[in-house]
Amino acid sequence: MDSTESTKGKESVQKISPLDLIMNQLRRKASFTERKKPAVGRLFRPSESSDKRNSGIPEVKESSEGKENNEHGKEINDTDDEAGSLVGWGRVKQFIQKLGKTPHSQNLNLSHCDLTATDVVELATLLPFLAQLEVMDLSWNDLVGGSLKALTAHLQHVGKLRVLKLCSCRLTDQDLTALGEALDCIPLIEVLDLSWNVGFGAGKFRHLTEHFQPQSTLKELRLVDCQLSETDITALSEALPMLSSLEELDLSNNKLSIKGMENFTSSLSSTPRLKTLKLSMCGLSKDSLSILGQALRFIPALEHIDLSCNKEAGGGLTTLATILVLLPHLRSLDMHLCCLTKEDVLALVQVAPSLKDLQELDLSFNKSVGDTLPDLLQTLPLSQITKLPLNNCSLNTHACNALATAMQMLKQLERLNLSWNKCVGENLRQFLEPLQPDCKLQELRLSSCSLTTEDVLHLESACQHGALSHLEQLDLSYNGSIGDGGWMSLFEKAAALKGLEELDISLRPSAPLSVSPWLPALLEALPQLASLKHLSLQHWALSLAEREKLEKILSKKNVILECDRLDMPTPKAAS
């Protein structure tokens, strides 16, 4: 190369030519694959001199002049890359907004978007522009199933991904294989939610588990209602030793046979960090709980156990309860709708003093609780209980009195559900009087409790004294015995419920009443309920004019209204 050509070559680097500008514009419009090609600017760099090549000097030992040229070339390429990223992010925004969602560089939420296979392919081409992505949620898109490989083939571009949700996407065994093969591309993954995908049961779950690697970073694995078979449970059991960092495992709504339970629990000791175990509606029996109990001894970090809706588990708590004392960090136990026996609850009474960290206990929908609640309340760490659902527990007068006494010690209580316990009616006062202005109660549910007008007056008094200032959810539905005066008085003092978000005063379908006597008080109260988001007046009879007045006020506050159509039966007069 002669000196003239060399000089021209140097000038082409130091000064961007019109050709460079044109090429830059074309490059910004290029596809992702074209962007991977070497930048055109590199073609204009001066080549090495023959003297340098012949001297045997390595390329890394560049002259100062060569370094300057490389720096200029790098600046041009960096500018091009930055411009390309901006154009790419513009494509991302356009794609996401087209689906009715808000773009975010770290959180991609495309759930319920009716994604097609074509959308999945397009999304895959956009992943290079989402390098900061940490959360991806494609749940509830049926057509994702069968096309996931088009996406997983590009997951190397989102190496910072921590959360991946693919709930109810009709995933196939091919999708599981593709996902498993791509796990190496997302080494930081912590949450994997594949719930409500029934297509990978029947022995197909192994297509995913066989790709799990030792020392996996996965912390949460959710497989709710995936129709996992005994073979699938075995595959999961074999994979658990790879998931030593696992903190939450949800297998709810998957039938677990005795053999499946034995296979599953045989590897639970491999997950010493497990904090949450959910086995709701798994068909667990008394024997299943006994098998589970033996495994729980090796998971001392466990904090939350959900065994709810296992109707054949009655009698199993008598054995399981003795293991609970070995879980010093247990904070939540959910066994609602488990057909617990009186002996089950009494067994819990015996170990309750050892459950010093317990904060949430759900024994609702167990009739046996009614007779044993007084004994249980004497042993629970009441001062730290935050959630105590007792709905549909056949509470009797003795149980109600014991609970009323315990209310003085339930200083941290945030959620109380007494629905479907008739004895609460005419006795609400004893539950409310112990409440102090610093009461932390956020949720109070009293549906179908045979409440009277006097009960609501006591509720209004508690509001006035500030005892319900933190209340967010109030359910007074199915209490048709409350008279117009009760509703009117409650709404007149509703300003004290400044944090209320949900209010339900619906009636039973068979007993429609007119809102006319107390509607003016409600309309006047609504502007003062600044936090209200949801109002349910189902089965109350409203005239067209009344409904229009109500909707006009609620529309200004963006409050959701639930009420019946106008063709209601003739309303009865309230007592």
Side-chain angles (χ1 to χ4, degrees):
M1 181 182 295
D2 58 28
S3 59
T4 304
E5 291 176 342
S6 177
T7 303
K8 287 182 179 179
K10 293 176 183 177
E11 289 177 353
S12 68
V13 175
Q14 296 171 351
K15 183 177 180 180
I16 300 176
S17 68
L19 177 59
D20 284 326
L21 295 176
I22 295 173
M23 295 305 297
N24 287 343
Q25 292 296 326
L26 293 175
R27 191 179 299 109
R28 292 188 182 104
K29 297 180 180 179
S31 64
F32 165 65
T33 55
E34 291 172 330
R35 290 190 181 93
K36 293 175 67 176
K37 297 179 181 178
V40 177
R42 296 177 184 172
L43 299 176
F44 295 94
R45 294 179 185 170
S47 62
E48 286 183 340
S49 67
S50 58
D51 293 337
K52 183 176 178 180
R53 288 198 301 269
N54 295 332
S55 65
I57 301 175
E59 290 182 352
V60 294
K61 297 180 180 179
E62 299 175 325
S63 65
S64 59
E65 185 180 69
K67 288 182 180 179
E68 289 180 7
N69 289 340
N70 284 339
E71 288 175 359
H72 282 295
K74 184 177 179 181
E75 289 176 4
I76 294 173
N77 290 330
D78 288 346
T79 302
D80 293 342
D81 291 341
E82 183 178 352
S85 297
L86 291 174
V87 173
W89 176 243
R91 288 178 55 202
V92 171
K93 290 175 62 177
Q94 183 179 15
F95 176 74
I96 296 176
Q97 290 171 346
K98 176 184 68 175
L99 297 171
K101 297 285 187 173
T102 302
H104 193 289
S105 61
Q106 294 180 314
N107 190 334
L108 179 64
N109 183 356
L110 298 180
S111 61
H112 300 277
C113 283
D114 294 325
L115 295 180
T116 64
T118 303
D119 292 326
V120 175
V121 173
E122 184 177 356
L123 175 59
T125 66
L126 299 175
L127 290 186
F129 311 111
L130 290 167
Q132 303 303 315
L133 193 64
E134 296 183 5
V135 179
M136 183 189 300
D137 187 355
L138 305 182
S139 300
W140 306 100
N141 290 289
D142 290 346
L143 299 182
V144 169
S147 60
L148 192 62
K149 187 172 183 178
L151 183 68
T152 58
H154 298 272
L155 285 183
Q156 71 272 16
H157 299 292
V158 288
K160 295 182 179 181
L161 195 67
R162 295 186 303 102
V163 179
L164 179 59
K165 297 182 180 182
L166 296 167
C167 304
S168 190
C169 287
R170 294 191 179 182
L171 299 184
T172 64
D173 51 343
Q174 291 87 357
D175 293 323
L176 288 182
T177 300
L179 178 59
E181 293 173 347
L183 288 178
D184 287 340
C185 299
I186 44 177
L188 302 181
I189 192 71
E190 295 181 354
V191 179
L192 183 58
D193 194 344
L194 304 176
S195 300
W196 295 289
N197 283 290
V198 299
F200 61 73
K204 300 175 183 177
F205 191 51
R206 187 179 299 275
H207 291 287
L208 174 66
T209 59
E210 63 187 8
H211 294 284
F212 286 152
Q213 298 296 322
Q215 307 303 318
S216 167
T217 58
L218 197 63
K219 293 183 179 181
E220 299 179 18
L221 179 59
R222 303 188 187 112
L223 302 167
V224 179
D225 196 12
C226 288
Q227 295 189 7
L228 299 181
S229 65
E230 191 172 296
T231 303
D232 297 314
I233 296 298
T234 300
L236 174 61
S237 176
E238 294 172 352
L240 284 180
M242 309 285 187
L243 307 179
S244 57
S245 298
L246 198 64
E247 296 181 0
E248 178 177 332
L249 179 59
D250 192 347
L251 299 180
S252 298
N253 289 43
N254 289 288
K255 181 71 174 179
L256 293 178
S257 63
I258 294 296
K259 181 63 175 177
M261 196 66 178
E262 290 175 345
N263 292 338
F264 167 62
T265 56
S266 65
S267 298
L268 269 183
S269 59
S270 303
T271 57
R273 300 179 185 178
L274 194 66
K275 295 181 180 180
T276 301
L277 178 61
K278 297 183 179 182
L279 299 173
S280 176
M281 204 177 296
C282 286
L284 303 185
S285 63
K286 175 182 177 180
D287 294 334
S288 300
L289 294 191
S290 179
I291 296 171
L292 176 63
Q294 298 304 312
L296 294 185
R297 295 182 301 169
F298 304 104
I299 319 176
L302 207 58
E303 297 181 2
H304 307 279
I305 303 177
D306 184 357
L307 303 174
S308 61
C309 302
N310 287 291
K311 296 183 179 180
E312 299 178 6
L317 187 55
T318 55
T319 303
L320 183 63
T322 59
I323 306 298
L324 297 182
V325 298
L326 303 177
L327 305 176
H329 305 293
L330 188 65
R331 299 175 56 189
S332 172
L333 176 62
D334 188 348
M335 295 198 70
H336 79 266
L337 198 59
C338 283
C339 297
L340 298 180
T341 64
K342 182 177 180 179
E343 289 71 25
D344 285 325
V345 182
L346 291 177
L348 185 58
V349 169
Q350 296 299 316
V351 302
S354 301
L355 306 179
K356 300 186 182 302
D357 285 352
L358 192 67
Q359 296 180 0
E360 300 180 5
L361 178 61
D362 191 346
L363 301 180
S364 58
F365 291 94
N366 287 290
K367 303 293 185 182
S368 59
V369 174
D371 294 329
T372 53
L373 183 62
D375 296 323
L376 185 60
L377 291 174
Q378 291 180 2
T379 57
L380 286 175
L382 298 179
S383 61
Q384 61 193 39
I385 295 292
T386 61
K387 182 179 178 181
L388 190 61
L390 294 169
N391 44 303
N392 211 338
C393 283
S394 296
L395 300 185
N396 52 36
T397 302
H398 185 40
C400 284
N401 292 337
L403 179 59
T405 302
M407 291 298 292
Q408 301 176 8
M409 292 170 280
L410 291 167
K411 301 293 186 180
Q412 303 299 320
L413 191 63
E414 297 176 357
R415 291 172 173 81
L416 178 63
N417 192 340
L418 299 177
S419 298
W420 303 92
N421 288 294
K422 303 301 182 183
C423 69
V424 176
E426 299 183 351
N427 292 300
L428 188 59
R429 177 180 180 178
Q430 61 181 339
F431 298 108
L432 299 175
E433 282 189 340
L435 301 182
Q436 300 299 317
D438 60 350
C439 175
K440 293 180 171 58
L441 200 62
Q442 299 175 14
E443 178 181 328
L444 179 59
R445 299 193 178 277
L446 302 168
S447 178
S448 191
C449 284
S450 298
L451 298 183
T452 64
T453 299
E454 186 176 355
D455 289 322
V456 177
L457 293 177
H458 290 304
L459 184 63
E460 173 262 317
S461 178
C463 293
Q464 278 292 93
H465 289 88
L468 300 177
S469 59
H470 292 93
L471 200 64
E472 297 177 357
Q473 298 173 323
L474 178 59
D475 185 356
L476 301 176
S477 62
Y478 291 7
N479 286 290
S481 53
I482 298 175
D484 294 332
W487 297 121
M488 193 178 305
S489 179
L490 177 64
F491 295 138
E492 287 176 350
K493 302 299 188 296
L497 297 172
K498 56 184 178 181
L500 192 65
E501 297 180 0
E502 298 181 15
L503 175 62
D504 190 348
I505 60 172
S506 300
L507 295 176
R508 296 180 184 277
S510 59
L513 298 172
S514 174
V515 302
S516 299
W518 49 263
L519 184 61
L522 174 61
L523 295 176
E524 188 174 343
L526 286 175
Q528 304 176 64
L529 298 175
S531 302
L532 191 65
K533 299 177 181 178
H534 192 281
L535 174 63
S536 184
L537 298 174
Q538 293 187 41
H539 312 307
W540 284 96
L542 292 86
S543 67
L544 178 59
E546 290 171 335
R547 181 163 183 161
E548 288 178 346
K549 288 181 181 179
L550 185 58
E551 290 179 340
K552 182 178 181 180
I553 295 177
L554 295 180
S555 62
K556 295 179 181 179
K557 296 169 56 65
N558 294 321
V559 177
I560 297 174
L561 173 65
E562 284 190 44
C563 62
D564 295 315
R565 300 189 308 270
L566 293 176
D567 53 340
M568 287 287 297
T570 303
K572 303 175 182 178
S575 57

